[in-house]
């Protein structure tokens, strides 16, 4: 039911989680800077963006300890990053644009998609459930970040593809695994597909077709 | 502590959960259509409305696997329903009114009230806790649906009774069980009471008395 | 990993949880009165404020049963309090100011900080994680209360220190324990520090410095 992955892959998964956490932390920092939050707000938004998705994944999969409990040093890293960023901003004028935060956001989306899907597959869950878990892991940190910044979550409101990138990324991992690809390759492909699709959509300003009742035909 | 119910009743509970899931999925579809969400938004809102309440119930009761993990085929059904609805809307003009979505919403409310209360009672929880679990199961899917549609949740904002219908429905189940009624009858009565009260309130446009400080006397 | 505390301390913890629950219930009642919610809304807001923080703490720490499941009589107390408050308001004019609800809110903040941090420490979690759990316990009930009242959560929006008071309170408990102080003293000190800092900040109308890019230097 719950086969232990080879040590190498579980170590790669931790690296992926760290990178995803840092990418979302950066997107949270930029979002907080744009909103001119106070010191506590910066830490809260950065921390929620960094750890929110992984924590919801672990609650849904009933995994303990959480990443930030097992590796609690990362809490200090996030606090330190927030402090450093605020100190930096004080001495240099820096007004991040909305676009700036979309690149780390896309990267975190890809990394958490791969990570969440892989962890769910290792628990023996069906493919569609694993893909959904990857999607939730990838999307939820950003949703919390936007809610606390008092914006409508980007994942739901901008009509550019977001969750759907995670959806395709997750299926890439499932497909790679079904074809017998090594674990690291599946993770890499899923990350590249999900982050790449999102980055391309932001780059090209592509919007999903809306539901216009009676518009066609 | 956790007596297994007779097989028949646990099968009825699955049927109730399926019907409640479909009713809320329909309310989510109608809500998404009213908001002109894009394809992803339709699937997200429909899925959250369908599975949100049951998932929160399972997290609170520490039950695993979730309904949509054990019966993962229903994820495909929700995806298919969303796609079919969007295809249908494209070829026929169809503008659902706010009222239209209140009927499936009331039905889902009743079904999830019965389902959530029964499951909590089977875990040996006190009656008041079981009623509350039924209420949470019934209300939370709709709350998520409304939040994602960027509306103030109907359950809190319209002054028509909503949670209170689930409250009375839950007590109906507790009472039926205390009187020795068969399991299916308790479920049926609770569903009828909760859904009926809500439908009657919508029909009659009944509003709860507000808290007007110093208004009376 | 999970040493049982001496009976006396675990009883003190229950008392602290009861007091914190009542303090937040009162803040919820006042918030609901200010918003002129209907009868159900009053119960919902009061209940969420009272039990929200402790429930999230228990979900994160994977503790069962919840406080309101083990001590389900308190659900009746909250219902009774809500009914009594509404009856009282009907016969006497009473318009609570926004300030009025900040005193019970500060008290609940302090009590839940001490309670949540202590419970996490008893589970053998690292100090930084325990402090964070105390903070989450203390802050989340009020956040839910404000969201349901359709306000931006006070904890994030007013620029007066809130979460940071819980942060210092939690470290006070960790420090007291490290210095070998008896359990009740650590709880008391943490409560006084967190509630006192918050009350002082409200009293003095102190605001945290905002992040003004390039403002200084």
């Amino acid at each position: 039911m719950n086969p232990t992955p080879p040590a190498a892959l579980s170590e790669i998964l931790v690296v992926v989680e760290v990178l995803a956490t840092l990418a979302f932390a950066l997107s949270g920092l930029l979002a907080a800077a744009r909103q001119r939050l106070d010191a506590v707000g910066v830490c809260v938004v950065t921390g929620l963006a960094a750890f929110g998705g992984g924590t919801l994944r672990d609650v849904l999969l009933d995994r303990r300890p959480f990443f930030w409990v097992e590796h609690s040093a990362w809490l200090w890293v996030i606090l330190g990053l927030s402090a450093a960023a605020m100190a930096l901003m004080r001495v240099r004028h820096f007004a991040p644009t909305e676009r700036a935060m979309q690149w780390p956001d896309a990267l975190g989306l890809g990394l958490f998609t791969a990570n969440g899907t892989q962890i769910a597959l290792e628990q023996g869950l069906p493919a569609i459930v694993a893909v959904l878990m990857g999607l939730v892991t990838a999307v939820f940190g950003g949703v919390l970040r936007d809610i606390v910044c008092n914006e409508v979550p980007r994942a739901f409101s901008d009509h550019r593809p977001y969750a759907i990138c995670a959806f395709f990324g997750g299926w890439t991992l499932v497909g790679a695994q079904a074809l017998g690809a090594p674990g690291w390759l599946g993770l890499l492909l899923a990350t590249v597909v999900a982050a790449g699709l999102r980055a391309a959509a932001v780059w090209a300003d592509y919007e999903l077709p809306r539901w216009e009742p009676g518009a066609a035909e």
Side-chain angles (χ1 to χ4, degrees), chain A:
Chain A
M1 183 84 182
N2 214 328
T4 317
L9 185 54
S10 81
E11 275 159 31
I12 294 177
L13 271 178
V14 171
V15 173
V16 170
E17 179 129 12
V18 165
L19 293 178
T21 300
L22 288 176
F24 267 121
L26 183 55
S27 83
L29 270 179
L30 291 169
R34 289 191 58 239
Q35 296 280 332
R36 308 225 179 298
L37 297 185
D38 58 39
V40 175
V42 172
C43 295
V44 169
V45 170
T46 306
L48 283 178
F51 298 117
T55 302
L56 180 61
R57 175 202 63 206
D58 290 349
V59 167
L60 290 178
L61 293 177
D62 212 8
R63 291 172 85 223
R64 296 289 189 294
F66 293 129
F67 178 77
W68 47 274
V69 170
E70 193 173 359
H71 306 271
S72 61
W74 285 101
L75 291 173
W76 290 110
V77 171
I78 298 297
L79 277 179
L81 268 182
S82 303
M86 293 185 72
L88 186 76
M89 306 267 152
R90 276 193 161 273
V91 295
R92 273 181 54 117
H93 185 82
F94 177 62
T97 60
E98 199 190 331
R99 280 216 130 189
M101 61 166 290
Q102 298 199 323
W103 307 119
D105 185 76
L107 183 62
L109 178 77
L111 289 163
F112 264 134
T113 296
N115 170 283
T117 308
Q118 175 68 31
I119 287 176
L121 283 175
E122 278 168 16
Q123 290 208 347
L125 296 178
I128 174 84
V129 174
V131 169
L132 195 64
M133 288 292 180
L135 191 155
V136 164
T137 310
V139 169
F140 192 68
V143 168
L144 280 184
R145 177 197 62 207
D146 294 346
I147 288 178
V148 174
C149 283
N150 208 14
E151 291 177 12
V152 179
R154 202 170 311 272
F156 305 137
S157 64
D158 80 348
H159 286 272
R160 287 195 224 101
Y162 193 99
I164 209 171
C165 304
F167 190 77
F168 285 125
W171 283 112
T172 304
L173 179 57
V174 170
Q177 197 149 314
L179 294 174
W184 63 267
L185 183 60
L187 289 174
L188 182 66
L189 286 175
T191 304
V192 168
V193 167
L197 281 177
R198 173 64 183 172
V202 170
W203 190 266
D205 227 353
Y206 171 76
E207 298 210 344
L208 283 173
R210 301 211 202 168
W211 181 342
E212 298 285 3
E217 233 55 35

